[in-house]
């Protein structure tokens, strides 16, 4: 171990502390990407090898703490939903969308096809398997029962179907979509899933019967430009797709879809602001939140809290300033706190939602790397 790595290890031990926190539904995962940095000349791609996933204990929701750091490859590229915890809190799944390979003096991004499995019950948590899935796996979703995961593959133009049985995680089939897929969400009853067909500006509908997953393009739902992230209300009634406007002169929007019945369809549309790349719905289904990039990777962002009303409609109730390049967002288990990770500032902001407001609590939690994604357990 060189001096730099030794010092990092010492600092991380200090951050984690000596507690004996156990795996459970009070964990959230944060993916750290060390390969992509930003400077005066914009984005720079670097060497791989120092990525990690942090296991964050939020049992005291106002004071999250790092309980483990697991070396595992993952990436900033793609929606910040490439990882998730099973509903019982025992496993973490991490999809790595791309890898960096060297060409001369530069580093090139190429698609990966790996899903990493983390045993969160181990002391300390550790990677126990690497599963081959579709090319450039991006957003993923674990079912409420915890026995199935779906992964949206951008380069593979497919959805990977993954079986979860205890600690055994196995890719069982690929569902072809004939177009890129950025993110996916499984309905609470486990009978349907909804997938962001980001370049087609549509939401695909998948029928689920056990491990049999089928796609019928006649069910495609027109969306706004570049549906990039997606979530569903806990009662399964409404899907909300976050659209980033294809990073061009198009309006960014949240599209609300009535998810039940024979033909799911759009029932409302609103715009929370510019750059809603991260997006999450609260476990109690009452609010949704998105950290806005505001059009620049180096500009400070903004957190938007929205109430979910009758018919799934979204109404902005509060806004709060964020750090630079805010990506991942997650709720506490009781829906009373929000966590937002700032990539360039390497920190985690914590907000109290009491009274429908956004009140930042205390000092920010410093992180030992750049947070590219963040998720709470599947629900």
């Amino acid at each position: 171990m060189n001096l730099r790595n030794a010092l990092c290890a010492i600092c991380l031990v200090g951050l984690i502390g000596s507690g004996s926190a156990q795996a459970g539904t009070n964990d959230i995962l944060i993916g750290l990407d060390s390969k992509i940095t930003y400077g005066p000349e914009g984005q720079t791609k670097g060497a791989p090898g120092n990525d990690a996933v942090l296991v964050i204990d939020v049992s005291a929701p106002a004071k999250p703490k790092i309980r483990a750091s697991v070396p595992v490859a993952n990436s900033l590229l793609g929606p910040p939903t490439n990882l998730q915890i099973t509903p019982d809190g025992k496993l973490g799944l991490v999809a790595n969308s791309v890898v960096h390979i060297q060409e001369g003096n530069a580093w090139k991004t190429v698609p990966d096809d790996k899903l990493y499995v983390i045993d969160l019950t181990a002391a300390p948590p550790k990677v126990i398997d690497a599963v081959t899935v579709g090319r450039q796996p991006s957003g993923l979703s674990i079912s409420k029962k915890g026995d199935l995961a779906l992964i949206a593959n951008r380069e593979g133009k497919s959805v990977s179907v993954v079986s979860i049985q205890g600690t055994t995680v196995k890719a069982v089939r690929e569902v072809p979509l004939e177009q890129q897929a950025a993110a996916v969400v499984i309905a609470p009853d486990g009978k349907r899933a909804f997938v962001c067909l980001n370049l087609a500006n549509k939401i695909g509908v998948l029928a689920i019967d056990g491990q049999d997953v089928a796609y019928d393009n006649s069910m495609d739902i027109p969306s706004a430009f570049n549906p990039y992230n997606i979530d569903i209300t806990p009662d399964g009634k409404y899907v909300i797709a976050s659209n980033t406007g294809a990073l061009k002169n198009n309006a960014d929007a949240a599209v609300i879809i009535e998810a039940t019945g024979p033909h799911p369809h759009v029932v409302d549309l609103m715009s929370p602001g510019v750059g809603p790349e991260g997006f999450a719905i609260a476990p109690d289904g009452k609010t949704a939140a998105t950290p806005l990039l505001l059009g620049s990777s180096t500009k400070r962002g903004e957190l938007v809290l929205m109430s979910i009303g009758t018919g799934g409609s979204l109404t902005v109730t509060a806004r709060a300033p964020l750090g630079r390049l805010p990506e991942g967002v997650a709720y506490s288990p009781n829906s009373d706190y929000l966590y937002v990770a700032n990539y360039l500032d390497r920190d985690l902001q914590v907000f109290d939602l009491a009274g429908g407001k956004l009140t930042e609590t205390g000092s920010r939690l410093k992180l030992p790397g750049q947070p590219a994604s963040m998720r709470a357990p599947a629900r």
Side-chain angles (χ1 to χ4, degrees):
M1 178 181 288
N2 61 32
L3 179 60
R4 178 185 175 188
N5 288 340
L7 291 172
C8 288
I10 292 170
C11 292
L12 188 55
V13 169
L15 282 168
I16 295 172
S18 57
S20 57
Q22 301 296 311
T25 56
N26 289 316
D27 282 339
I28 60 176
L29 299 181
I30 297 179
L32 304 181
D33 183 354
S34 66
K35 305 180 298 301
I36 296 179
T37 57
Y38 288 84
E41 297 181 356
Q43 186 185 100
T44 300
K45 298 172 184 176
N50 294 308
D51 294 349
V53 167
L54 301 179
V55 184
I56 307 292
D57 177 12
V58 295
S59 54
K63 297 180 178 180
K65 60 182 180 181
I66 302 170
R67 78 171 183 90
S69 177
V70 185
V72 59
N74 64 106
S75 177
L76 171 67
L77 301 183
T81 54
N82 68 310
L83 72 182
Q84 197 169 32
I85 299 171
T86 53
D88 60 9
K90 294 182 178 181
L91 290 183
L93 302 185
V94 183
N96 186 45
S97 62
V98 298
V99 293
H100 286 190
I101 61 172
Q102 194 165 14
E103 286 191 347
N105 295 324
W107 291 90
K108 179 182 178 182
T109 298
V110 298
D112 198 11
D113 61 358
K114 290 296 181 289
L115 175 71
Y116 295 101
V117 183
I118 300 174
D119 182 356
L120 297 174
T121 68
K126 61 182 180 180
V127 174
I128 58 172
D129 203 358
V131 180
T132 299
V133 291
R135 284 173 58 79
Q136 201 173 348
S138 297
L140 64 81
S141 179
I142 299 173
S143 68
K144 185 176 181 178
K145 288 178 62 178
D147 60 349
L148 182 77
L150 299 179
I151 306 169
N153 303 310
R154 296 181 69 177
E155 182 71 16
K157 299 181 180 180
S158 65
V159 165
S160 293
V161 181
V162 176
S163 166
I164 305 171
Q165 300 295 329
T167 59
T168 301
V169 177
K170 184 184 299 184
V172 295
R173 61 179 50 84
E174 294 289 309
V175 181
L177 303 174
E178 300 181 357
Q179 52 206 320
Q180 279 197 16
V184 63
V185 66
I186 301 173
D189 65 5
K191 295 180 180 180
R192 270 182 177 160
F194 298 83
V195 57
C196 292
L197 307 175
N198 52 304
L199 297 187
N201 304 319
K202 295 179 180 179
I203 304 299
V205 181
L206 306 176
I208 304 173
D209 182 6
Q211 294 180 3
D212 293 327
V213 179
Y215 167 62
D216 178 357
N217 63 11
S218 71
M219 297 281 286
D220 284 358
I221 306 164
S223 184
F225 282 99
N226 199 43
Y228 201 61
N229 208 337
I230 195 164
D231 206 351
I232 190 167
T233 54
D235 59 11
K237 290 183 178 180
Y238 301 102
V239 165
I240 301 175
S242 186
N243 301 256
T244 64
L247 304 178
K248 296 180 180 178
N249 297 324
N250 305 304
D252 297 347
V255 172
I256 298 91
I257 295 167
E258 198 287 316
T260 61
H263 297 286
H265 56 279
V266 173
V267 292
D268 203 358
L269 181 147
M270 60 85 71
S271 179
V274 177
E277 194 165 298
F279 181 80
I281 294 175
D284 65 8
K286 295 181 180 179
T287 66
T290 182
L292 302 177
L293 300 178
L294 299 181
S296 171
S297 59
T298 58
K299 186 177 181 180
R300 296 192 178 278
E302 181 180 57
L303 178 59
V304 180
L305 180 67
M306 297 163 282
S307 64
I308 302 176
T310 304
S313 62
L314 297 177
T315 302
V316 175
T317 59
R319 296 179 183 267
L322 296 174
R324 296 175 298 162
L325 196 57
E327 284 286 333
V329 59
Y331 280 85
S332 63
N334 292 331
S335 305
D336 48 359
Y337 287 85
L338 264 173
Y339 310 100
V340 181
N342 299 305
Y343 188 83
L344 293 183
D345 293 331
R346 300 187 178 202
D347 61 19
L348 184 72
Q349 289 179 258
V350 184
F351 293 89
D352 187 340
L353 305 186
K357 299 179 180 180
L358 287 170
T359 304
E360 190 168 3
T361 62
S363 59
R364 303 179 184 184
L365 177 65
K366 288 298 180 181
L367 304 176
Q370 300 174 132
S373 55
M374 178 166 60
R375 291 289 282 284
R379 60 176 191 275

